[in-house]
Amino acid sequence: VREYHDTESALELCEYPADLAILDRTNAPLKGPELFVRIRAHTAMPIMFVSGNGYILEKELAQLKVQPEAVIDLPFDNSEFLDVVRRVLP
């Protein structure tokens, strides 16, 4: 497990992919969708979003013409989260 304090630091995932990246839409200084695009340009690592507003996130991703492996809306319970992670991981 790796945790990043900001999305600029998370760009490390481009060079050193993880098994799964879990992003938030409202990260800083890069927003989650922009970070997603940058990571996906370098790796096919599975990416999922956790979002308090999945509708806005889906619109932003559609504008960028990209699709993550999953989007899970807040609030969620642990079993729902684990089900999504299991589905996303290869």
Side-chain angles (χ1 to χ4, degrees):
V1 174
R2 289 181 259 167
E3 180 180 351
Y4 299 97
H5 296 348
D6 57 50
T7 51
E8 188 172 39
S9 300
L11 286 171
E12 174 186 276
L13 292 167
C14 295
E15 191 172 340
Y16 304 104
D19 293 330
L20 171 66
I22 302 172
L23 307 179
D24 184 275
R25 183 184 143 265
T26 59
N27 295 326
L30 304 172
K31 296 296 182 201
E34 184 179 351
L35 177 61
F36 173 87
V37 168
R38 290 191 185 191
I39 292 170
R40 194 43 62 82
H42 296 277
T43 179
M45 164 183 51
I47 298 173
M48 66 182 276
F49 276 89
V50 174
S51 178
N53 193 328
Y55 176 76
I56 291 174
L57 174 63
E58 294 288 341
K59 286 179 63 175
E60 291 171 345
L61 294 170
Q63 288 176 338
L64 296 171
K65 296 180 171 64
V66 294
Q67 186 63 42
E69 280 66 32
V71 174
I72 188 166
D73 287 319
L74 295 168
F76 56 80
D77 61 45
N78 291 342
S79 63
E80 179 185 7
F81 183 81
L82 290 174
D83 287 344
V84 172
V85 169
R86 285 184 190 109
R87 181 175 51 84
V88 169
L89 286 175

